[in-house]
Amino acid sequence: MSARRLTVLSILLLTLVACGGGPLVDGEEPTAEPTVTATGSLNPDGTDSPEEFAADMKDAQEVAEDYWSQIFERAGTRFQPISQVVPYEREGEVDCAGEALPLNNAVYCSDGDFIAYDVNWAFDVFRQIGDSFLFYLLAHEYAHGIQARLGIQKRFTIQQELQADCMAGAFIGDEQRAGALVLQEGDTEELARGLESVGDDPGQPWFAEGAHGSAEQRTESFEQGFNDSLTPCKL
């Protein structure tokens, strides 16, 4: 696979924190080619067209599938890719475990085994940040799909999410070392600053349903995976 350029990984990369499971609403497929609304400021590297967005989303999915296929093959286990990546445009268009997905969201749904994301939100952030957002989005949500395949179900949400952050870091770090992804100079520093700006609110109990971890915890988990591959993720 040809190397893909990863631009700045920044604060909005981790707004994709929701996860769940369920079928498509009313049993219907969303439109195959949703209308992408251009609402954000232009990214200086020029990654701003719907065509580039669609191509990068496809590339991110293919790189993730290739990465995890190799991991499973080395473990002597058959790998089954996530069934589909579903874009949606309207709140409630896609349902997960009986709960309609809101806008400005991305999610792995274990029931039906698919990733769903608000295409206009993702495109808007893509224009402001670059294609790195899409690779992280797929990496984090694909990690939840891998957890499902391995039967990993942590007691607390925070444990599940920090492990997914570690796995996303391992994916990006391993693919960068293999030459499948190329990080520009300074991208890791940008990522570190972005991760420091995200995380649960200070008053959020770590054991609460939906907790994802403090900025420090999420930064540490991602960096462990990025630097040392999957070993610290404790799969």
Side-chain angles (χ1 to χ4, degrees):
M1 181 172 293
S2 61
R4 295 294 303 174
R5 175 176 173 272
L6 280 183
T7 53
V8 175
L9 287 160
S10 189
I11 298 173
L12 292 178
L13 297 181
L14 293 180
T15 58
L16 48 96
V17 295
C19 52
L24 301 183
V25 66
D26 298 327
E28 298 180 356
E29 295 283 349
T31 55
E33 297 182 357
T35 301
V36 176
T37 305
T39 58
S41 59
L42 294 179
N43 186 28
D45 72 0
T47 52
D48 62 353
S49 74
E51 292 77 17
E52 288 173 293
F53 172 85
D56 282 334
M57 180 61 79
K58 181 180 179 182
D59 286 338
Q61 182 180 355
E62 289 177 351
V63 173
E65 289 175 355
D66 183 64
Y67 175 76
W68 287 109
S69 177
Q70 292 181 50
I71 296 296
F72 274 60
E73 183 179 352
R74 288 200 292 268
T77 305
R78 179 176 176 273
F79 173 68
Q80 181 63 43
I82 287 175
S83 63
Q84 58 181 331
V85 177
V86 182
Y88 64 91
E89 300 178 71
R90 298 178 300 277
E91 184 169 357
E93 183 178 353
V94 176
D95 177 270
C96 289
E99 184 174 349
L101 291 183
L103 297 178
N104 306 322
N105 199 15
V107 59
Y108 167 71
C109 298
S110 57
D111 256 3
D113 187 41
F114 63 90
I115 292 170
Y117 67 97
D118 175 352
V119 64
N120 291 313
W121 161 73
F123 179 64
D124 194 38
V125 180
F126 162 77
R127 297 177 77 233
Q128 297 178 53
I129 296 177
D131 52 4
S132 58
F133 167 74
L134 304 184
F135 281 84
Y136 186 89
L137 186 152
L138 260 296
H140 182 92
E141 298 306 334
Y142 222 102
H144 286 310
I146 300 303
Q147 289 172 326
R149 280 153 174 72
L150 297 177
I152 296 173
Q153 185 60 54
K154 303 291 187 180
R155 181 180 179 185
F156 298 103
T157 305
I158 189 173
Q159 297 171 316
Q160 203 87 6
E161 294 298 330
L162 290 178
Q163 185 182 56
D165 282 336
C166 180
M167 294 163 69
F171 161 71
I172 293 177
D174 286 348
E175 291 298 271
Q176 185 267 336
R177 285 182 284 272
L181 298 176
V182 178
L183 277 73
Q184 289 186 311
E185 183 178 358
D187 279 351
T188 53
E189 289 77 10
E190 293 279 355
L191 172 59
R193 289 195 294 271
L195 287 168
E196 288 171 1
S197 302
V198 297
D200 293 337
D201 293 334
Q204 171 81 15
W206 67 267
F207 52 83
E209 181 66 25
H212 286 67
S214 66
E216 292 78 11
Q217 288 173 312
R218 302 200 70 175
T219 298
E220 181 181 6
S221 293
F222 185 92
E223 289 182 346
Q224 285 177 344
F226 184 87
N227 292 325
D228 298 319
S229 189
L230 292 168
T231 299
C233 305
K234 300 180 180 178
L235 296 180

